[in-house]
Amino acid sequence: MAIGVVLTAVFTLAAAVSLAWVPYDVARLDISQRLLPPSLAHPLGTDHFGRDMVSMLMEGARTSIAVALVAVGIGVGAGVPLGLWAAANRGGWLDEVIMRANDLIFAFPSLVIAILITAVFGPSAVNAILAIGIFNIPVFARVARGGALPLWTLDYIMAARVAGKGRARISAEHILPNIANLLIVQATIQFSLGILAEAALSYVGLGAQPPTASWGRMLADAQTMIYTEPQLAVLPGLAIVAMVLGLNLLGDGLRDALDPRLRRRAL
């Protein structure tokens, strides 16, 4: 978990700093500075357009984190209430409708959804957010429903119902706090998958568009020079690997820390 926190914090800090400052403007092309080796002025060199690689990686981190974060927010904001409501009406027609709608969304991978959205509205980071966010909704709905179903049979839930509390109030006051650990762990997993999805969509031209920097776009631009200038592809590739690895390690650590059964086993 410590390794995950460090890796995640490094890229999050780089993304936060890029909001206010980057060494060089990535929207400014300078062909006279193209493919420079590492130096004091450019610690990681420049790309084939003369853009500073450090600046590109910093802004790429901002784009990837922003897209993944908003997409996870869409998944949590829409999926969790649907899952809780399905669990509250377990076995009924509403539960069946919500779960079958989730199955329908699962039938279309995020890349296919992105292609459909792009065909209508055009490629952009916003459309990538929508595609990834829509795919996250059934994920969180299933996690919330699966975690909530066993709780509805417990005595303290029965007592709350006898006290006159409605299903929505019970879900908000009693069910949601007790499945928060499941949702937090799942959010870190979906966050890492969102980073990968954003990079994949940008790589095929459906994500962030120039001059916005993106790790996936950097890989796409460097693919024709993989043998002559391998660092142009290796650097964003390593950034993606490190960020996803950090989030996965963080998720594993949170799961162990938040699961009371694992804590008891450790003691």
Side-chain angles (χ1 to χ4, degrees):
M1 183 174 179
I3 297 174
V5 169
V6 171
L7 290 175
T8 303
V10 167
F11 288 102
T12 302
L13 180 61
V17 171
S18 72
L19 292 171
W21 173 85
V22 289
Y24 297 90
D25 183 6
V26 299
R28 181 176 178 271
L29 308 184
D30 188 356
I31 302 302
S32 65
Q33 300 292 313
R34 65 189 301 268
L35 300 177
L36 293 179
S39 63
L40 290 178
H42 303 282
L44 296 179
T46 61
D47 68 1
H48 55 298
F49 290 122
R51 297 174 296 186
D52 179 62
M53 289 297 292
V54 172
S55 302
M56 292 288 290
L57 290 172
M58 290 176 64
E59 293 212 8
R62 182 180 68 191
T63 301
S64 295
I65 291 175
V67 169
L69 187 62
V70 176
V72 169
I74 292 174
V76 172
V80 172
L82 287 174
L84 291 175
W85 193 243
N89 295 272
R90 59 199 179 281
W93 67 268
L94 186 58
D95 180 20
E96 189 69 16
V97 168
I98 292 174
M99 289 299 100
R100 297 297 74 78
N102 288 339
D103 292 339
L104 180 62
I105 295 177
F106 268 132
F108 296 91
S110 59
L111 185 59
V112 175
I113 295 175
I115 293 173
L116 294 175
I117 294 175
T118 303
V120 178
F121 300 106
S124 69
V126 174
N127 293 336
I129 290 173
L130 290 176
I132 301 170
I134 290 171
F135 189 76
N136 280 335
I137 292 174
V139 173
F140 285 99
R142 285 180 175 275
V143 171
R145 181 180 180 273
L149 281 177
L151 299 181
W152 277 99
T153 62
L154 299 181
D155 292 341
Y156 75 95
I157 298 297
M158 296 296 181
R161 298 184 67 178
V162 171
K165 292 184 178 181
R167 295 176 179 177
R169 187 176 176 184
I170 292 175
S171 296
E173 294 182 357
H174 302 289
I175 303 295
L176 184 58
N178 283 284
I179 64 172
N181 59 332
L182 298 176
L183 298 176
I184 291 172
V185 173
Q186 189 64 43
T188 61
I189 296 173
Q190 294 306 121
F191 196 7
S192 66
L193 294 178
I195 297 289
L196 285 175
E198 189 280 329
L201 292 175
S202 295
Y203 179 81
V204 298
L206 300 178
Q209 299 298 300
T212 302
S214 169
W215 289 340
R217 192 74 190 179
M218 292 171 68
L219 285 172
D221 291 340
Q223 65 183 348
T224 58
M225 297 178 289
I226 188 65
Y227 295 110
T228 58
E229 302 291 338
Q231 75 279 3
L232 299 183
V234 169
L235 291 174
L238 287 177
I240 294 171
V241 170
M243 184 66 182
V244 172
L245 177 63
L247 287 169
N248 285 334
L249 292 175
L250 178 60
D252 288 342
L254 287 174
R255 180 198 61 195
D256 296 344
L258 296 175
D259 193 332
R261 292 171 299 180
L262 293 177
R263 288 201 301 267
R264 286 196 298 267
R265 192 180 303 169
L267 294 175

